[in-house]
């Protein structure tokens, strides 16, 4: 690291930001894999988060923002930088049908509040093991709902300044947003818009979605949900058709229950999971001519992707 850890810790103490030298990505991500992290920091307000990131970036320290870690595959190598974990930065203010939500807020917690108020269009949030900040990055969603359907604007640290970015400028698409291309932009809070319904109807919809999800997906396993996507094709159906259910590399396996999920079934390494994802993509390309994109965000794998030379 360009700046030594003690100097960074001193600065974090001055900012009132908690730090930890003993974390690994295996502890911070739902896959349960990934190397040790030189320093992990936990800002608990947008202002502290912005000051932390500005300081780190000014000093050319490598950073990665982490929410619940449910869409991150981090390599087995040690990370010589700082992981900025947002989960301590949480809070929700609801006025009428509008909610201001801090980026580290749990989607499930927000969904409970919406249910109490009878606000609909955000029922899918109850199905994500995520933070709202992480959810906006890949426009997370299910059952026909997604972040694009509720987002009004984002307050973000963009090129060293805290700015409000309108939903249009966030360019939410199928499992993508402007934040995928600009990992140096950090979401601090979101303004979300819902529609009025009743607590009973919202609870019924949430219950239906959760039952459907539990019956179709391996929710108890260690995964990051569906690892691949395509704008117009249901990738998991083709993975199934290619006979890949149960296919294994090391401790990583394509789920028998849902072919879109890769599971850490037996002490997988990050490399096992990475290679399995690449094997699935290669198979889909060879069998169906389908170029599936990686939904899970890769940390520390460099640019050795099998497909990087293909221009989309
Ligand atoms: C069992 C299971 C089921 C799932 N089901 C679904 C589903 O139905 N639909 C779906 O879309 N996804 C699903 N996922 C994937 C995952 O939950 C979502 O992608 C989720 O939105 C990730 O949120 P997170 O807070 O965990 O983000 P993380 O995994 O922590 O981060 C994801 C990416 O966002 C970046 N990031 C995180 N926070 C910020 C921030 N504040 N500012 C800028 N960048 C940030 C990270 O650097 C990383 O690149 C599932 C995952 C699991 C494990």
């Amino acid at each position: 690291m360009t700046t030594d850890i003690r100097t960074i810790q001193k600065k974090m103490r001055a900012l009132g930001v908690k730090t930890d030298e003993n974390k690994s990505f295996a502890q911070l991500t739902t896959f349960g894999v990934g190397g040790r992290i030189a320093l992990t920091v936990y800002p608990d307000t947008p202002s502290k988060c912005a000051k932390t990131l500005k300081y780190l970036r000014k000093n050319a320290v490598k950073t990665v923002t982490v929410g619940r870690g449910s869409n991150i595959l981090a390599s087995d190598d040690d990370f010589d930088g700082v992981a900025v974990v947002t989960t301590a930065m949480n809070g929700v203010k609801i006025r009428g049908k509008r909610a201001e939500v801090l980026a580290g807020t749990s989607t499930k917690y927000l969904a409970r509040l919406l249910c109490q108020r009878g606000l609909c269009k955000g029922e899918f949030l109850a199905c994500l093991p995520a933070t709202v900040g992480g959810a906006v990055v890949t426009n997370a969603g299910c059952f026909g709902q997604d972040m694009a359907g509720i987002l009004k604007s984002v307050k973000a640290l963009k090129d060293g300044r805290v700015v409000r970015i309108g939903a249009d400028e966030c360019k939410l698409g199928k499992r993508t947003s402007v934040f995928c291309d600009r990992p140096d932009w950090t979401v601090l809070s979101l303004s979300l818009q819902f529609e009025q319904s009743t607590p009973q109807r919202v609870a019924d919809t949430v219950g239906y979605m959760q039952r459907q999800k539990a019956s179709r997906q391996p929710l108890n396993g260690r995964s990051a949900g569906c690892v691949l996507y395509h704008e117009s094709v249901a990738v998991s159906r083709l993975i199934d058709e290619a006979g890949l259910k149960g296919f294994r590399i090391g401790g990583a396996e394509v789920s028998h229950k849902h072919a879109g999920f890769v599971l850490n079934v037996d002490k997988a390494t990050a490399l096992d999971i990475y290679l399995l994802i690449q094997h699935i993509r290669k198979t889909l390309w060879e069998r169906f001519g389908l170029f599936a994109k990686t939904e899970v965000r890769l940390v520390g794998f460099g640019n050795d992707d099998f497909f990087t030379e293909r221009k989309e």
Side-chain angles (χ1 to χ4, degrees), residues 30 64-72 86 103 127-131 133-135 137-138 140-142 175 185-187 213 217 219 223-225 261 295 297:
T30 51
V64 59
T65 313
V66 181
R68 292 265 155 198
S70 62
N71 203 25
I72 289 178
T86 63
C127 301
L128 302 178
T131 62
V137 171
T138 50
C142 50
R175 300 296 169 263
W185 293 6
T186 306
V187 178
K213 235 178 172 310
Q217 299 181 352
L219 300 184
S223 80
F261 280 56
E295 180 171 333
R297 314 305 301 163

